[in-house]
Amino acid sequence: MGPDGIRRIAVEEAFAVPEQLDELARLAETSIEYHPDLALAKRQSGGGEMTTALLDLEGERLRLMDEARLDMALLLLTAPGLQLFQPSFAAGMAVRINDLLAALVARHPSRFAALAAVAPQAPKETAREIERAMTTLGHRGIVINSHTDGEYLDEDKYLPILEAAEAFGAPVYIHPRAFTPAIAQAYRKNGLEHAIWGFQAETGLHGLRLITSGVFDRFPKLKIVLGHAGEGLPFWMERIDYMHAKPRGRPELARTPSQYLRENFWYTTSGMNWHRSVRFLVDAMGADRVMFAADYPYQHMHEEVALMDTAPLTRDELRQVYAGTAQTVFGM
Ligand code: MN
């Protein structure tokens, strides 16, 4: 905790491991068609500053955390995670990464906690890994980089994952990735398929699909975390309720969409520490639903902390967003 008495936790902090980047680079080399995730993977694995920052865990990263006055980081395997890999290979890599994370956290328990990496394309193995991650390894939840091969978590084949997440109290952080290549085509002109717009369109769709398919009526204790100020959903909440009430052959829900957004979802400020956005999120969802994130190394820690430090929040709200909500949701 800094001299100002504020404990600062950042909850969407990315890293990579060599075997993940090697496989992404191999796929990028062999893909003929444009693939929006592999286009980014070239930068992640290319050996430049981004590669160095993603692979570093105990060196420069800790120094930057000190400089930014960040007490703790919740680490997650960088997008697209393991979701482009062959299922059993990906599931095996998830186990190795989660072991590595457990050892890292054991060396730095006051600085790091982690979300478990999973391979949703192997649902049964993922369900088992959620149990191991939450019980044996002490991880704080899981990260899934939105769609898997164009499929979303409301599909029946992913039920074992949601069941395990609810049963073991694992919050599911749905982190962005690019749309499938076919859908990304419409975003490609002028480069709109990544973080500038495509990511939130894709991940917001994922959140809304979970709500409208009735996933939370089946799993009422399921906890979903969305970054980037909720990928637009809180801003759209009233319109979503209004339009959802019109008959369009959608499944009946026990609650209104905004009720799920207020009861099953938590939100982080990754890449969205713009003051007006932070104030809106706290007003609309409550400070107890909002957590600070820097989104390192895709954004700078010190810049994001400087924004949050000066956000138009009361001191109690600031404490809640910086640490209180992360304590409740991730036990940090
Ligand atoms: Mn991120």
Side-chain angles (χ1 to χ4, degrees):
M1 196 182 299
D4 59 358
I6 302 269
R7 184 166 178 247
R8 292 177 177 80
I9 302 172
V11 297
E12 191 195 304
E13 313 312 312
F15 75 98
V17 295
E19 63 172 327
Q20 174 205 16
L21 294 188
D22 289 349
E23 183 65 7
L24 284 172
R26 197 185 67 75
L27 292 177
E29 270 167 36
T30 53
S31 79
I32 300 158
E33 303 287 326
Y34 176 77
H35 189 297
D37 288 313
L38 293 177
L40 278 192
K42 284 179 189 159
R43 197 159 73 92
Q44 293 167 318
S45 63
E49 271 175 39
M50 181 57 67
T51 309
T52 307
L54 282 168
L55 293 174
D56 161 62
L57 283 162
E58 294 171 276
E60 181 72 355
R61 183 182 299 256
L62 282 168
R63 197 190 66 71
L64 291 170
M65 284 171 66
D66 289 341
E67 190 183 275
R69 297 194 295 173
L70 275 176
D71 295 274
M72 279 195 91
L74 182 68
L75 299 170
L76 39 73
L77 186 69
T78 198
L82 309 172
Q83 283 159 249
L84 297 176
F85 307 158
Q86 187 271 331
S88 61
F89 173 72
M93 203 185 288
V95 169
R96 290 190 290 279
I97 290 168
N98 295 332
D99 286 343
L100 174 150
L101 283 171
L104 173 79
V105 169
R107 288 196 295 278
H108 305 277
S110 65
R111 306 309 302 276
F112 293 132
L115 296 177
V118 295
Q121 63 273 49
K124 289 199 184 86
E125 287 86 344
T126 292
R128 278 201 301 273
E129 187 61 5
I130 290 171
E131 175 174 7
R132 192 179 79 97
M134 297 304 288
T135 56
T136 312
L137 301 181
H139 292 325
R140 310 308 171 100
I142 64 170
V143 56
I144 291 183
N145 295 285
S146 204
H147 74 86
T148 302
D149 230 353
E151 291 181 333
Y152 296 84
L153 292 168
D154 57 89
E155 308 277 357
D156 282 351
K157 69 194 276 189
Y158 299 115
L159 284 175
I161 299 178
L162 302 184
E163 229 164 54
E166 188 191 49
F168 295 99
V172 180
Y173 202 125
I174 302 185
H175 185 278
R177 61 176 283 196
F179 276 114
T180 57
I183 297 175
Q185 276 308 325
Y187 290 80
R188 255 190 98 184
K189 190 171 183 196
N190 308 324
L192 305 181
E193 70 271 47
H194 296 121
I196 184 173
W197 192 256
F199 282 4
Q200 67 85 19
E202 208 290 325
T203 315
L205 169 68
H206 201 154
L208 198 52
R209 277 190 57 149
L210 292 181
I211 291 171
T212 53
S213 61
V215 156
F216 301 105
D217 293 341
R218 194 155 178 186
F219 303 107
K221 290 184 186 146
L222 185 63
K223 296 177 189 172
I224 303 290
V225 180
L226 292 177
H228 314 96
E231 311 293 358
L233 293 177
F235 193 74
W236 276 74
M237 197 160 58
E238 281 295 317
R239 182 166 168 86
I240 291 168
D241 274 355
Y242 183 85
M243 291 298 172
H244 188 267
K246 296 178 188 293
R248 292 288 185 276
R250 287 181 279 256
E252 294 242 352
L253 301 180
R255 295 176 262 159
T256 61
S258 63
Q259 283 175 306
Y260 299 102
L261 286 168
R262 287 201 165 99
E263 291 161 16
N264 292 92
F265 285 76
W266 282 262
Y267 306 94
T268 85
T269 65
S270 53
M272 293 286 283
N273 285 299
W274 183 35
H275 286 177
R276 287 174 192 269
S277 168
V278 169
R279 188 63 249 171
F280 172 80
L281 200 57
V282 168
D283 282 340
M285 314 315 289
D288 59 350
R289 296 261 149 201
V290 181
M291 293 175 266
F292 171 77
D295 207 6
Y296 178 81
Y298 301 105
Q299 311 254 158
H300 297 290
M301 293 182 206
H302 65 92
E303 285 177 11
E304 299 309 304
V305 168
L307 276 170
M308 182 55 76
D309 279 356
T310 54
L313 300 177
T314 67
R315 196 167 164 85
D316 282 349
E317 287 170 337
L318 190 69
R319 284 176 186 281
Q320 182 66 31
V321 169
Y322 259 139
T325 309
Q327 262 156 24
T328 312
V329 178
F330 296 119
M332 293 179 71

